[in-house]
Amino acid sequence: DGGITQSPKYLFRKEGQNVTLSCEQNLNHDAMYWYRQDPGQGLRLIYYSQIVNDFQKGDIAEGYSVSREKKESFPLTVTSAQKNPTAFYLCATKSGGAWEETQYFGPGTRLLVL
Amino acid sequence: GQNIDQPTEMTATEGAIVQINCTYQTSGFNGLFWYQQHAGEAPTFLSYNVLDGLEEKGRFSSFLSRSKGYSYLLLKELQMKDSASYLCAVVPAGNKLTFGGGTRVLVKP
């Protein structure tokens, strides 16, 4: 069954704790992205990776960290430095084709800070 | 910087037509996407325009004018299930998508 999986669907965190959100894909896509969505808002780019062992900051990287040790996996850590982490987090992938720009999204993880 | 504008909310009647406009100012342009997002779910791909003109896909059509920095998404024969947010996103120079704030469409019976 091909696709993008994100786990967990809902995540609760206490203030001051780090938490890691999972994103796995079996589409053999090269590029992976993390977005944050706040209620009634569009998506904002946190980090992206175009190839294994390489990643770049997006527009709102502060308080977040990522790794890309495997092509299939791009976990996002929300650190205690992120002052307002409650949001809907979406992972997306894109194939590496020269003319392929379409990004496909996973089901998302809703993070709530208690 | 990048700037993408679309209306916040629109209301229409079942069976009618709704047009969602999107204007953009970006450094470079490699295409424009429309995504549909139902509440609490992930965005799903609707259309991709890179050349000027109208692309039709069933009840949905998307139009692009690069010289005007303008696109619209046209939803025909509206159904209740079309109630969702519609996100306009531009690929400027580079590989990053830049999203507008989304337009919430409410379809009433």
Side-chain angles (χ1 to χ4, degrees):
Chain A
D1 204 29
I4 306 166
T5 56
Q6 290 186 243
S7 61
K9 190 171 176 67
Y10 297 95
L11 189 58
F12 299 93
R13 188 194 95 169
K14 291 183 180 178
E15 279 194 42
Q17 284 183 336
N18 290 359
V19 63
T20 297
L21 282 59
S22 165
C23 178
E24 303 281 330
Q25 55 108 352
N26 60 5
L27 301 170
N28 200 35
H29 284 178
D30 291 311
M32 297 185 75
Y33 305 79
W34 274 106
Y35 293 92
R36 169 185 172 134
Q37 187 176 35
D38 293 284
Q41 306 287 316
L43 278 64
R44 292 184 290 167
L45 183 65
I46 304 172
Y47 267 98
Y48 65 104
S49 167
Q50 297 185 60
I51 198 168
V52 174
N53 292 321
D54 187 47
F55 50 83
Q56 284 81 40
K57 292 182 179 180
D59 301 317
I60 54 165
E62 187 174 346
Y64 300 97
S65 66
V66 293
S67 62
R68 187 86 187 277
E69 297 175 3
K70 299 187 297 182
K71 188 175 187 178
E72 303 79 19
S73 179
F74 191 41
L76 173 75
T77 297
V78 185
T79 74
S80 56
Q82 171 49 240
K83 296 307 174 191
N84 187 22
T86 295
F88 188 40
Y89 289 87
L90 288 157
C91 175
T93 70
K94 182 170 77 77
S95 78
W99 299 105
E100 179 52 65
E101 295 287 355
T102 305
Q103 292 187 20
Y104 299 93
F105 287 85
T109 292
R110 194 167 297 277
L111 175 64
L112 182 64
V113 174
L114 303 174
Chain B
Q2 327 289 3
N3 192 42
I4 300 173
D5 287 317
Q6 49 182 132
T8 305
E9 196 168 291
M10 303 180 75
T11 302
T13 306
E14 196 174 12
I17 298 173
V18 70
Q19 177 174 314
I20 306 168
N21 296 325
C22 173
T23 57
Y24 63 90
Q25 292 172 305
T26 57
S27 51
F29 181 83
N30 287 322
L32 185 145
F33 287 89
W34 285 97
Y35 283 87
Q36 181 190 60
Q37 185 180 26
H38 286 99
E41 298 182 10
T44 55
F45 169 78
L46 288 178
S47 67
Y48 174 52
N49 293 66
V50 65
L51 299 175
D52 288 351
L54 185 68
E55 299 259 352
E56 298 187 77
K57 219 184 262 188
R59 294 189 297 113
F60 292 2
S61 304
S62 57
F63 171 83
L64 175 67
S65 168
R66 288 172 296 171
S67 62
K68 295 181 179 177
Y70 168 70
S71 173
Y72 68 72
L73 179 70
L74 195 69
L75 285 60
K76 294 180 276 191
E77 300 169 20
L78 278 172
Q79 301 176 10
M80 298 300 291
K81 67 178 181 179
D82 297 330
S83 290
S85 288
Y86 292 85
L87 308 177
C88 173
V90 173
V91 188
N95 285 308
K96 299 187 293 182
L97 265 183
T98 300
F99 283 83
T103 299
R104 185 159 41 182
V105 171
L106 178 62
V107 180
K108 293 187 172 179

